[in-house]
Amino acid sequence: MIHVHELTKCFSDFRRGQIVALKGVIFHARPGEIFGLLGPNGAGKTTALRILGTVLRPSGGRVSINGFDVVADSAEVRRQIGFMSANTAVYDRMTGWEMVEYFGRLHGMQRDALAERMEMLFNRLKMNDTRDVLGAKMSTGMKQKVSVARAVVHDPPVLIFDEATSGLDVLVARALLETVAELRSQGKCIVYSTHIMREAEKLCDRIAILHRGSVLAEGTLEEVRRRHGEEDLEELFFQLIMEHDQRSLEEAFCR
Amino acid sequence: MKPAIVKLILAREVRDQLRDRRTLFVIAVLPILLYPLLGISMYQLSQFMHVRPARVLVVGAERLEVSPPLIEEGRFSTLLFASSGSAKMLELHFPSTETAESERWDRARELVLAGEYEAALYFPADFSARLEAFRASLTSRVGPRPAGRASSPEVPQPELFYIETNEKSVLASQALDSVLQRWTDKIGEENLKAAGMSVRAPHPFAVKKIDVGGKTNRLGSRWAGILPVLMLLWAMTGAFYPAVDLCAGEKERGTLETLLSSPAGRGEIVLGKLLTIMIFSIATAVLNLLSVGATGWVVLSGLTGFGLPSPAALAVLAIALLPMAALFSALCLALAALARSTREGQYYLMPLLLLTLPLVILPMSPGVELNLGTSLIPVTGMSLVLRNTLLGDYLSVLQFAPVVAAVTLAVCMLAIRWAVEQFNRESVLFRESERFDLWIWLQRLFSDRRPTPNVAMTVFACMLILLLSFFLATLGGEPDNFAGLVRSVLTPQLAVFLLPTLLLTLLFTTSPRETLLLKLPAWFTVPAAALLAVVMHPLIVLLGALVEYVYPVSESLLPSLKNIQELINRSHFWPLVILIALAPAVCEELACRGFILSGFRHFKGKWRAIIYSALLFAVAHGFLQQSMLAFFNGLVIGYLAVQTGSILPCMVFHAMHNTLALANGRLTPQLFEQWPILNSFAVPGEQAGCLFTWPVVLGCAIIGALLLILFARHPCVCVRPPEEGLENRILCPADSF
C-alpha cells in the first residue's frame, strides 16, 4: 500500500548549511495495519510524513501510495490519503461542521452523502458539541477531534497521523488512540508517528525507529525486540539512539 | 485546474474574511466613515481654530500725511484689503513718540528679534515730505521731460523688519507686503490724477479669461487628480490585509499544511486565494471612491462647483479597477506567501507602497502626459488613462488604452506567476524563523565555498556593482579631451566590474575557471559570435531608433551626449576600439556573464540566469535608452555564454558590437555622398550614423536566427549546476498552473 524506497530529503538551513533530513529511508506499510514511525524530535518523522502527504517533494528515492507516485501522481495520491498534521490546526473563523464539510467537498463528495457521513462521524467521535463552535473558541480536544474528522471524512484507504496525541490530556489521547485502532479494523493503512513508546507498543503492528534521518530498526515489535535482545521498547529505543550517536561521533573523529 | 475546487476555496476564503473584524473594518467601515468623519472634523476644527492677529509695530506713523491714508483709527485703511476680515488680522502698535529718532530704528529691530512683534514697519522721518515733493514735481511737469532737466526727487524706502525662520513673522511680512503694495498703487493713482493723467495709464488693459472647457472638463479636472490615486492606493491596501491573513495567517495557524495535502492543487489554491483578495481589493477601492465622491459632492458642491464625474469616466474607472486589483492582489499574495507570520507580512506593506507610490503619483506631476513612453510604464500608464478619461480627453485614451491594457495584462500575468511560484517553493512555505547572524553568514561563505558562487553572493555582487557604478557616475565629470575620456571609461570598467569580480571570485569560489568561464570553446563559436554581432548590428540600430522614438533623450542630457560624441569623432579610431570596445568586452563580460551568470544558474536554471544577468548589465549602463539596448544584447550574450560554456565568444560579440557602434557613429552624410554605394544598404542620419534598409535588416535577422540555431544545436558539454538538473527532474506537471 505504502512503499518508501531510498527516500532522501535535503534542506538548506541558514545556521547549519545543507541538512540531510532523510537518508535512504526504506519502509512499507500494508492495509489493515498501523505502521509506527518512532523517533526523537528532529529525527525526520514529520519530513517523511509530509513527503507522503505530497506537501514536500523528495530529493531522492521513490514513494508510492496505492500505486501512485508522490511526485508524478501527487494529485491522485492526495485523493487516497487523509493527513493529520502535528499541530491541531483548525480555521479560527469556521465552525467544526463547516471545516469538516469543506474538506469533504474538496475531496469531491456530494452534498447528501457528505452530510450523512458527517452525521455518522460527529456521532461516533462524540463531537456534536463542536458543530457550531468557531475554531478559535475550541478546546485542544475539540480541535483534535475536528482534525481527525477532517482527515477521515472522505473515507480514504490511507491515513497519516503525525504525533496526533501531542498536547492532549489522557482522556482525549485515549479516545483518539481508540479511534485510530478502529480505523485499522476497517482495513485502513495507517502511518502513525510518535515519540511516545507506550503508544507505539499499544497501537502499532510494525514500527520503524528513525534517528537523524536514518532508519535504525524496522519490523514488527516482536522482531525488533528479538533482533536487538531488549524487551522494553523504551530501553531499546534509547539504546539504538545512543549507539547511533556514538558511531557517528567515532566516524566524525576518524575523518 | 478544477473550477469547482477554485470556487470552493474562494467561497471559504471570502466567508472567512467576512468573519474577520479587522478586514471588515479596513474594507467597509473605514471607507464609509473615514471621509464623512474627516469632513466633519475639518469643519469642527475650523470652528475652534482661532488665528491670532499678527502684532505689527509701526514706527513713524504719526508723521504720515499722505493721501490716501495708510492708517485710519489705529488700523490699516480697509481700502487696502481684499476683505474686511483680513484687516483685523493685523494688529497695529505704535511706539512712544518721546523716543529719540536715532534710537527708534534700532529699537524696532530689537523688538522683532525679541519676539514682541511679528514684524515692524519703519517710516523715515522725511518720508511724507519727500513723497509730497515727488508729487509736486510731477504736477509741475506735464508732458514729456525735456532732456537735461533734473530727475524727480527720490522717496526714502520704508523698512519692514521680520524673521525669515519664524513662520508667523513671515506670514505677517507677507500681509504687510500686500497692504503696502495696494497703498503704493493707490498713491500712484493719486499721483497720476495730480499730474492730470488717467489712472489707467500704467495698466491700460486687463486680460479677460474664458474657460472654453465644458462643464465635464471642469468637473473632470477636479476629480482627475484625486480619483485615480485614491483608487489605486485603496486597491492595493484592500488587497494587502486579506493577502497577509490568507497566506501568512494560514501558515501561522498551521492550516496551510492540511490544505496542501488535500486534493486542491497549488494552482487552484493560489487562484482561489487570488480571487478572494481581488474581491476585497475591488470592494475597498469602490467603497472608498463612493465615500469620497459622496462626501466631496455633499460638502464641497456648494462651494466650488463639485459634481459627479461623467458616466463614461466612471465606467472606465470600473473597468480599469479589475486589472489593477488583479495586479496588486497577485503582488500582495506573493509577498504575503514569503512572510512567516501576519506580523512579518505587515512589514512588507511599506516596501510595496514605496515601490508603487511613485508610479501612482508620477501622473500628478506637471508635464507628464499620456504617450507611448508613459503608457509602457506599469501602473503609471493606467493612472494616466484614468486621468485623461476624467478630463474628457477620450482621443488619447483610445489611442493608448490598448498599449496600457497589454502592459497591465503582462505585468499582471507575471505577478500571478510569481505568486504561484511562491506556493511551489518549499523554502517559502515552510520557512522557519532564522535569526540573521553576520558572523555565521561570513563563516558559511568561506566554509560552503563551491566552484561557482551561490545566489546570495551573486546578489551581493550585483548590489556592489550597482552601488559602485552609481557613486562613480555621480563623481565623474564630463571628459573634455581624450585623456579624460580614457579616465572616464577605464575607471568604472576597472573599479566597478573587473576588480570586484576578481576579488569575489578568488575569495568566495573554489574554481575561478568555472566561475568566469575561462575555457576554450568549440573553435567555430568564436567566428560565429563575431558574425552574429555583425548581423545583429542593423537590428540593434533599428531598436535604438525605436527606443529613442518612444523615450526621447531628455533635453538636459543632450548637450553632454553631443559633447562626448564630438570628442569620440575627433579621436583616432583604433585607440577608441581598444578603449570603448575591448576594455568593456573584457571587464563587463567577466562580471556579468562570468560571475553573475554562473551564480544565478544556481537559482532557477539557465533562462533565469540569462535574464537576471542581462538585467544587471542593463541597469549598470548609464541611462534608460542605453539600458534597454544593453538588456537586449545581454540576453543574446548570456545565451552564448550558456551554450558555449566559455567567456571568449561573449567577449568577441561584445567587442564587435561596440566596434560597429563606433564605426556607425562616424558615418556622416558627406561620406554617403562620397560613396554612393552605401545608399543601397543604409540611409544616413541627420548628423551622423545610419539606419539600414529593410532588406538588409530582414536578411541580417534571418542569418542571426540561423546562427542562434547553430548555437542551440551545439551546446557545450560542461558541468551544470545541480539546481538546474533538480529543477528539471522535479518539475511536476500535475501541479503546474
Side-chain angles (χ1 to χ4, degrees), chain B residues 101 414 440 493 499 559:
Chain B
E101 185 58 35
L414 281 175
I440 290 177
Q493 288 302 326
L499 284 177

Side-chain angles (χ1 to χ4, degrees), chain A residues 9 11 13-15 17 50 53-59 71-72 74 78-79 81 83 85 87 89-95 98 102-103 105-107 134 150, chain B residues 2 5 8-9 12 15-17 19-20 245 250 253-255 257-266 426 430 434-437 440-441 444 729-730 732 735:
Chain A
K9 180 69 187 172
F11 291 112
D13 182 84
F14 175 71
R15 284 177 175 270
R50 277 179 176 171
T54 75
V55 176
L56 294 180
R57 284 170 175 157
S59 307
V71 177
S74 58
R78 286 196 291 268
R79 278 184 209 107
I81 60 168
F83 184 83
S85 65
N87 48 36
V90 292
Y91 290 107
D92 283 350
R93 298 186 285 268
M94 279 178 107
T95 63
E98 286 169 346
Y102 174 56
F103 279 88
R105 297 284 308 281
L106 279 178
H107 280 281
L134 289 176
R150 188 178 60 187
Chain B
K2 287 186 177 169
I5 288 188
L8 207 62
I9 294 172
R12 193 212 82 80
R15 183 170 55 186
D16 197 58
Q17 289 304 302
R19 285 179 182 172
D20 183 20
D245 190 59
E250 191 144 17
R253 289 186 287 268
T255 46
E257 197 179 338
T258 320
L259 185 62
L260 290 175
S261 64
S262 77
R266 308 272 163 116
E426 291 169 5
F430 298 100
E434 285 174 342
R435 191 166 59 84
F436 182 75
D437 189 319
I440 290 177
W441 184 67
R444 281 198 51 206
R729 201 149 45 84
I730 63 174
C732 180
D735 277 352

Side-chain angles (χ1 to χ4, degrees), chain A residues 62-119:
Chain A
R62 288 206 165 272
V63 179
S64 69
I65 292 176
N66 254 5
F68 299 105
D69 187 90
V70 291
V71 177
D73 312 306
S74 58
E76 195 51 49
V77 167
R78 286 196 291 268
R79 278 184 209 107
Q80 304 288 322
I81 60 168
F83 184 83
M84 191 175 149
S85 65
N87 48 36
T88 54
V90 292
Y91 290 107
D92 283 350
R93 298 186 285 268
M94 279 178 107
T95 63
W97 184 267
E98 286 169 346
M99 258 181 276
V100 179
E101 187 187 30
Y102 174 56
F103 279 88
R105 297 284 308 281
L106 279 178
H107 280 281
M109 294 180 78
Q110 295 301 313
R111 278 183 191 280
D112 294 345
L114 178 61
E116 203 177 309
R117 170 95 177 144
M118 282 173 65
E119 283 293 349

Side-chain angles (χ1 to χ4, degrees), chain B residues 411-431:
Chain B
V411 178
C412 198
M413 290 307 292
L414 281 175
I416 292 172
R417 211 184 140 158
W418 185 40
V420 175
E421 254 178 39
Q422 297 309 307
F423 267 80
N424 276 316
R425 285 175 60 193
E426 291 169 5
S427 56
V428 169
L429 292 179
F430 298 100
R431 205 154 63 101

Side-chain angles (χ1 to χ4, degrees), chain B residues 534-543 545 664 667 672 676-685 689-702:
Chain B
V534 173
V535 296
M536 273 186 63
H537 181 66
L539 291 171
I540 299 283
V541 171
L542 183 70
L543 191 66
N664 194 323
L667 291 175
F672 273 80
I677 192 151
L678 286 174
N679 290 302
S680 43
F681 302 111
V683 184
C690 70
L691 270 176
F692 292 89
T693 54
W694 281 109
V696 174
V697 172
L698 284 174
C700 285
I702 292 166

Side-chain angles (χ1 to χ4, degrees), chain A:
Chain A
M1 184 64 81
I2 297 176
H3 298 286
V4 177
H5 185 72
E6 293 288 344
L7 178 62
T8 306
K9 180 69 187 172
C10 305
F11 291 112
S12 182
D13 182 84
F14 175 71
R15 284 177 175 270
R16 293 174 287 171
Q18 194 77 3
I19 297 169
V20 185
L22 295 171
K23 296 174 207 165
V25 170
I26 300 173
F27 66 83
H28 308 280
R30 292 182 279 263
E33 93 174 6
I34 299 175
F35 185 86
L37 210 52
L38 276 60
N41 292 335
K45 302 188 297 288
T46 299
T47 303
L49 297 189
R50 277 179 176 171
I51 291 172
L52 293 185
T54 75
V55 176
L56 294 180
R57 284 170 175 157
S59 307
R62 288 206 165 272
V63 179
S64 69
I65 292 176
N66 254 5
F68 299 105
D69 187 90
V70 291
V71 177
D73 312 306
S74 58
E76 195 51 49
V77 167
R78 286 196 291 268
R79 278 184 209 107
Q80 304 288 322
I81 60 168
F83 184 83
M84 191 175 149
S85 65
N87 48 36
T88 54
V90 292
Y91 290 107
D92 283 350
R93 298 186 285 268
M94 279 178 107
T95 63
W97 184 267
E98 286 169 346
M99 258 181 276
V100 179
E101 187 187 30
Y102 174 56
F103 279 88
R105 297 284 308 281
L106 279 178
H107 280 281
M109 294 180 78
Q110 295 301 313
R111 278 183 191 280
D112 294 345
L114 178 61
E116 203 177 309
R117 170 95 177 144
M118 282 173 65
E119 283 293 349
M120 187 272 287
L121 274 178
F122 273 66
N123 288 330
R124 185 175 287 181
L125 293 171
K126 298 184 181 68
M127 52 184 281
N128 280 314
D129 55 342
T130 66
R131 269 178 187 251
D132 302 317
V133 180
L134 289 176
K137 297 194 173 166
M138 284 180 191
S139 66
T140 315
M142 281 172 155
K143 284 180 182 174
Q144 202 70 329
K145 283 179 181 174
V146 170
S147 292
V148 173
R150 188 178 60 187
V152 301
V153 65
H154 56 294
D155 198 17
V158 176
L159 285 160
I160 299 163
F161 291 94
D162 188 10
E163 297 189 1
T165 55
S166 68
L168 295 184
D169 66 40
V170 183
L171 291 175
V172 182
R174 195 184 178 110
L176 184 91
L177 295 180
E178 281 168 7
T179 308
V180 175
E182 199 181 318
L183 288 166
R184 169 179 50 193
S185 64
Q186 290 169 13
K188 309 282 181 200
C189 172
I190 299 168
V191 181
Y192 186 93
S193 91
T194 182
H195 55 256
I196 305 167
M197 296 306 124
R198 275 177 57 86
E199 265 182 18
E201 278 180 316
K202 212 166 153 185
L203 200 65
C204 300
D205 302 299
R206 292 190 320 92
I207 58 161
I209 296 176
L210 201 63
H211 182 51
R212 294 188 195 277
S214 302
V215 175
L216 305 184
E218 197 249 327
T220 62
L221 277 168
E222 280 314 308
E223 281 170 359
V224 173
R225 279 173 180 149
R226 208 171 39 242
R227 208 176 299 144
H228 295 278
E230 176 60 64
E231 275 303 303
D232 186 75
L233 187 59
E234 199 164 302
E235 279 303 316
L236 173 65
F237 179 81
F238 189 69
Q239 190 185 313
L240 283 170
I241 282 168
M242 292 306 285
E243 278 173 11
H244 180 270
D245 285 350
Q246 184 69 32
R247 223 172 20 249
S248 305
L249 203 68
E250 281 168 11
E251 279 169 15
F253 191 72
C254 290
R255 275 204 300 271

